[in-house]
Amino acid sequence: MSLPDTAQRAPFLATLRRIGRLAWPYFQSEEKWKARGLLAAIVALNLGVVFMLVQINEWNRTFYDALQNKQLDAFWQQIGRFTWLALVYIVIAVYKFYLTQVLQLRWRSWLTDHYLARWLANKAFYRMELARFTGDAAQVPDNPDQRIQEDLNIFTDSTVTLGMGVFNAVVTLLSFVGILWTLSGPLSFHAPAFLGGGEWTIAGYMVWAAVLYCVVGSVIAHFIGRRQVGLNFRQQWLEANFRHHMVRIREYSEAIALDGGEAVERRQLDTRFTAVMGNYLRLIRSQKNLTWFNSFFGQAAIIFPMIVASPRYFSGAIQLGQLMQISSAFGQVQSSLGWLVDNYMGIAVWKATSDRLAGFEESLGQQSRPNEDFSATHEAGGIAASQLHVALPDGHTLLADGRLHVAPGETVLVTGPSGSGKSSLFRALSGIWPHARGQVNLPADTMFIPQRPYFPDGPLRDALAYPQAATHYSDEALQQALRNALLPQLATQLDRADAWGQKLSGGEQQRLSIARALLKRPAWILADEATSALDEAAEATLYARLVAQVRQAGGGIVSIAHRSTLGPFHRQRWTLTPTSDGGSASHHLDTATADAPDRTPGATPTMGTKA
C-alpha cells in the first residue's frame, strides 16, 4: 500500500485556502450566531489579556524604580496594585480558556455531524470503500473513521488555538513595539570602514534587535523543522493502518483461527508497527533538533535584551525600572515575532491534519455525486430495467444494453460462473453500483438479503428489526419471525445485547437475515446467496416460506445461487455466460424456463443483450 502523498505537498497558501473552505461553513451554518458570538468573545478576551500585559509592563518600571530607590511605601503600593492586576488577568485568562474550549467543542460537534451526514448520504461510504479497493487507492482517502473521529478533533483544536495565537501575537506586537521603541532610544556608533565609516545612529534600536533576532530564529527553525509536516502526515496514516489491521483481525477472527494464520497476522502487524515506530523515531529526532534550537532561542531571549540595553543603564541614561521594562517589552515583542519558532511543531501537525481532511472533503464531494447516467423509479408493477449497462471499476463490461422485466408472482434464479457479474447486477438494480447506467424500476416494497448480512451490536431485537426501530414490531411478531426462520433458541433473548455479527455462526446469521424478511414481509425480495451457509433441509424450508410470502403479497423473488437445490423454487432461470468482444470482458444473459411444477403462463421475464 502506497502513501497518498498528493495533499501533503500542496503549497502552503493553497493549503490555507483549503483550510478556509473547511472552516468557513460552520460560521455560516444554522449555529452561525453562536459561533460568531463565541469567536467575538474570545477575540475580546485576547485583547483584554494583551491590555493587562501592557499594564503589567508599566508596573515593572514603577516597581523596580521603587526597589532601586528603596521607597518602602511605593513598594507596598505596587504590591497592592499588582494583586489587582494579577486577579483581573487570571479572570480574563480563565474565561478565555473556557470559551475557547466551548467553541472547539461546538465546532467539532457540528463538523462531526456534517461529515457523518455526508459520508452516509448517497452511499458515499460504500463508494469510497469500493473505489479504494477496486480503483486507485492513492486517490482515495484512507480510514475515514480516523478522519472523522481524530482529525476533526485535532483540526478544530489547532485551528482555534493557532488562529488565536497569531491574533494574540499580532496585537501584542502592535501594543509593545511602540513601548519598546520609546524606551530603547537611539543607538549611536562609529561605522567600520567597509560601511563607509562615520557616525551612525539607529532609532529604536531594541526593536530592530528584536526583529533581527526573530527573523534569524524563524529561518533556522523552518530549516530544522520543515520535514515535520510530511512526517506528521505519514505518522497519522501509518497509525491508522496499524489500527485498521487489528480491527480486521477482530472481524475475521474465526477464519484466521481456523486457518492457523496467527503467525502471518503477527508478521503483518509487526511490519505495520515497525513502520509506525520507524517514522515516529524520525519524527522525534526532527522534534529533538527543533527543541534544541527552541530551548537555546528561548533562554538567549531572556539575557539578550539585558546585554543590548545594559550600556545605557550603566551609563546612567536609564534606571533599573526602565531596564526591566525594556526587558519585559522586548520579551513580548520577541515572543510575538518568534511565534512561528515556538509553534512550529504544532503548525506541522495542524497542516498535516488539514491536508488529510481536505483530501477527505474532496473525495466526499466526488463520491456523493449522483450517477447522472442512472435513473431509478419505485413504482408498482414489478422489477424492470432498460438499456442497463453494468461494468467493472476498471471499465470492462459485464452487461451491455440489458432489458429485463420480472412480473408480480414471478420467481427468478440467476446463475453463472463466479465473477460473471451476478452480484454486480444486483447492486446495479439496487442503485448503489456506481459503474452502471440505464433505467431501473424497483418497487418500493423491495428487500435485499445479502450473503453476509450486517447486524448492529446491541439487543437482539434491534439486530432483527434493523434498519427500522424495534418498537415498530411487537414482541410476538419478533419472536414468531425467529421461530419461522428456524431460530427458536433466540426467541427468548430479544433483550440480550451482544455482538451478533460475531456471536452467531454463518448459518445462524443467514437465518437471522431471513427472519428480517419474514418479519417485515416485503412483496419483493432480491437474495444474493442468502442460504449458502445452510443445509439443504433448512434451505428448502426457508425458501418455501419466502416464496409463499412474496406471492401472497403480490410480488416476486430474484435469487442468486450456485447450488441446484434452489431450482425448484424458481420459475425462471437467467444465466450469465462470458462472451468475447474484441478482447474486453462482457457477458450474455440467457433466459429460460426452469423446471418447476407450478409454473404460471404469461409471467415471463424477458431480457436482451448486446455482446
Side-chain angles (χ1 to χ4, degrees), residues 449-486:
I449 307 179
Q451 183 178 8
R452 285 190 60 198
Y454 167 74
F455 303 105
D457 295 348
L460 177 60
R461 63 173 70 245
D462 292 343
L464 176 57
Y466 181 85
Q468 292 175 302
T471 53
H472 290 179
Y473 305 97
S474 66
D475 284 4
E476 292 76 12
L478 294 168
Q479 292 169 348
Q480 187 60 47
L482 290 170
R483 285 191 287 266
N484 289 343
L486 309 181

Side-chain angles (χ1 to χ4, degrees), residues 208 285 305 402:
W208 299 113
R285 283 173 178 168

Side-chain angles (χ1 to χ4, degrees), residues 380-586:
I383 299 173
S386 61
Q387 298 178 325
L388 184 62
H389 182 96
V390 183
L392 292 173
D394 61 9
H396 288 178
T397 300
L398 287 173
L399 195 65
D401 197 22
R403 298 182 300 276
L404 67 88
H405 178 251
V406 184
E410 197 52 73
T411 54
V412 179
L413 179 64
V414 182
T415 62
S418 297
S420 59
K422 303 184 297 297
S423 295
S424 296
L425 174 62
F426 267 34
R427 296 177 188 128
L429 291 175
S430 71
I432 69 171
W433 190 246
H435 309 288
R437 60 178 185 265
Q439 297 82 42
V440 169
N441 181 70
L442 199 66
D445 193 10
T446 301
M447 182 174 176
F448 289 83
I449 307 179
Q451 183 178 8
R452 285 190 60 198
Y454 167 74
F455 303 105
D457 295 348
L460 177 60
R461 63 173 70 245
D462 292 343
L464 176 57
Y466 181 85
Q468 292 175 302
T471 53
H472 290 179
Y473 305 97
S474 66
D475 284 4
E476 292 76 12
L478 294 168
Q479 292 169 348
Q480 187 60 47
L482 290 170
R483 285 191 287 266
N484 289 343
L486 309 181
L487 291 170
Q489 72 278 13
L490 297 181
T492 58
Q493 302 183 41
L494 291 177
D495 294 314
R496 178 181 171 184
D498 214 326
W500 299 104
Q502 298 177 347
K503 184 72 173 180
L504 302 178
S505 68
E508 288 174 325
Q509 290 184 46
Q510 289 192 339
R511 278 180 278 167
L512 184 57
S513 182
I514 291 173
R516 283 179 182 167
L518 296 174
L519 172 70
K520 300 176 182 181
R521 307 186 66 80
W524 294 89
I525 291 176
L526 278 76
D528 185 359
E529 297 282 358
T531 56
S532 59
L534 302 181
D535 60 84
E536 292 185 4
E539 179 183 67
T541 299
L542 293 177
Y543 247 93
R545 290 173 179 173
L546 288 175
V547 170
Q549 176 177 294
V550 296
R551 284 179 176 170
Q552 182 179 8
I557 187 169
V558 181
S559 305
I560 291 176
H562 286 99
R563 296 197 305 207
S564 59
T565 51
L566 286 183
F569 297 97
H570 298 82
R571 297 176 173 179
Q572 292 292 318
R573 185 188 300 273
W574 298 346
T575 304
L576 275 164
T577 55
T579 62
S580 177
D581 185 18
S584 63
S586 61

Side-chain angles (χ1 to χ4, degrees), residues 221-252:
H222 176 68
F223 179 78
I224 295 173
R226 59 185 175 178
R227 295 182 62 237
Q228 291 188 30
V229 174
L231 288 172
N232 274 289
F233 188 99
R234 183 175 178 83
Q235 188 66 27
Q236 292 177 343
W237 177 74
L238 291 171
E239 294 276 9
N241 282 340
F242 177 59
R243 183 172 63 244
H244 177 69
H245 195 77
M246 288 191 288
V247 172
R248 284 181 58 82
I249 291 176
R250 287 179 54 200
E251 185 179 358
Y252 294 96

Side-chain angles (χ1 to χ4, degrees), residues 157-229:
D157 178 77
S158 297
T159 302
V160 174
T161 301
L162 295 175
M164 287 298 102
V166 171
F167 174 78
N168 196 62
V170 171
V171 174
T172 301
L173 177 63
L174 294 176
S175 299
F176 280 93
V177 71
I179 297 174
L180 185 60
W181 184 281
T182 302
L183 290 173
S184 61
L187 176 65
S188 299
F189 63 94
H190 187 79
F194 68 88
L195 291 178
E199 194 73 17
W200 284 44
T201 299
I202 301 177
Y205 74 99
M206 291 295 296
V207 174
W208 299 113
V211 170
L212 179 63
Y213 185 83
C214 294
V215 167
V216 172
S218 298
V219 170
I220 296 174
H222 176 68
F223 179 78
I224 295 173
R226 59 185 175 178
R227 295 182 62 237
Q228 291 188 30
V229 174

Side-chain angles (χ1 to χ4, degrees), residues 59 63 66 71-83:
W59 174 87
F63 178 74
Q71 297 172 331
L72 184 61
D73 291 342
F75 170 81
W76 286 112
Q77 182 182 5
Q78 292 306 312
I79 290 295
R81 183 185 175 206
F82 178 81
T83 302

